[in-house]
Amino acid sequence: MTWAEICEDKLLATLPYRIESDRWGNIVMSPPPRSRHAEYQTEIAVLLRQKLIGGRSLTECPIQTEEGVKAADVVWVSNERRASRPNDPVYLIAPEICVEVLSPSNTEAEMNERKRLYFAKGALEFWLCGLIGEMSFFDPGGQIPQSRLCLDFPKRIVID
């Protein structure tokens, strides 16, 4: 199935799962995130919106990769990149910042694969939010001590 067909499928829309696709267009479903995961997603999106201008922060952003459509937990995308995909149901060029919030079921290999896929599609930074809110920042060369695109982004997200 194409991503547009997946998005328009009324049955899939009723399922409480996170839906992505693999490289052949097959549907890949994951359990819905826990409430803490959603809290971290929201806080990161709000902070990005407050700290950066000239773009938007989004959650569950679909990005077409060589391994199918992956939904980044949070992204920050410039107005220029947003304008490059009018009426498309998926981003063909990754947003500048792609963030994944770790879930207990995620593996390091899975996060490394997502990082590789997002960089291959043009992301400038990949961020990882750990299980207790600790942030790790990466550019295509590897881990960096802090974001270069959002210099004052905190190194830990505090929920409680």
Side-chain angles (χ1 to χ4, degrees), residues 55-101:
R56 290 183 179 255
S57 60
L58 309 169
T59 59
E60 301 295 328
C61 180
I63 303 166
Q64 180 68 57
T65 74
E66 65 189 46
E67 294 294 330
V69 176
K70 306 302 176 199
D73 286 324
V74 183
V75 302
W76 184 86
V77 61
S78 67
N79 292 332
E80 293 78 21
R81 286 200 187 186
R82 279 186 70 239
S84 73
R85 48 144 295 285
N87 303 316
D88 285 341
V90 63
Y91 278 80
L92 301 176
I93 300 170
E96 286 86 346
I97 299 172
C98 295
V99 185
E100 291 292 343
V101 176

Side-chain angles (χ1 to χ4, degrees), residues 6-158:
I6 291 171
C7 290
E8 293 170 11
D9 188 295
K10 293 185 186 331
L11 176 62
L12 291 175
T14 66
L15 299 176
Y17 299 100
R18 179 181 194 166
I19 296 177
E20 297 179 321
S21 70
D22 66 15
R23 70 168 76 181
W24 299 282
N26 296 314
I27 295 169
V28 178
M29 290 190 280
S30 304
R34 298 174 182 199
S35 61
R36 178 67 67 172
H37 187 279
E39 290 176 358
Y40 283 130
Q41 274 184 286
T42 301
E43 188 64 22
I44 292 166
V46 167
L47 286 168
L48 281 169
R49 182 157 289 182
Q50 290 171 346
K51 294 177 176 298
L52 294 176
I53 59 170
R56 290 183 179 255
S57 60
L58 309 169
T59 59
E60 301 295 328
C61 180
I63 303 166
Q64 180 68 57
T65 74
E66 65 189 46
E67 294 294 330
V69 176
K70 306 302 176 199
D73 286 324
V74 183
V75 302
W76 184 86
V77 61
S78 67
N79 292 332
E80 293 78 21
R81 286 200 187 186
R82 279 186 70 239
S84 73
R85 48 144 295 285
N87 303 316
D88 285 341
V90 63
Y91 278 80
L92 301 176
I93 300 170
E96 286 86 346
I97 299 172
C98 295
V99 185
E100 291 292 343
V101 176
L102 204 58
S103 293
S105 62
N106 292 134
T107 65
E108 184 177 348
E110 180 185 357
M111 291 299 105
N112 285 335
E113 177 71 355
R114 285 182 176 266
K115 178 175 35 172
R116 183 187 72 76
L117 293 170
Y118 298 152
F119 282 139
K121 293 304 288 191
L124 301 178
E125 291 188 357
F126 174 85
W127 299 359
L128 184 62
C129 177
L131 294 174
I132 57 172
E134 69 281 11
M135 297 296 299
S136 301
F137 306 96
F138 302 85
D139 68 12
Q143 190 162 1
I144 53 178
Q146 68 184 47
S147 171
R148 293 187 180 118
L149 300 176
C150 188
L151 293 173
D152 63 343
F153 198 87
K155 293 184 179 171
R156 183 178 188 101
I157 304 299
V158 179

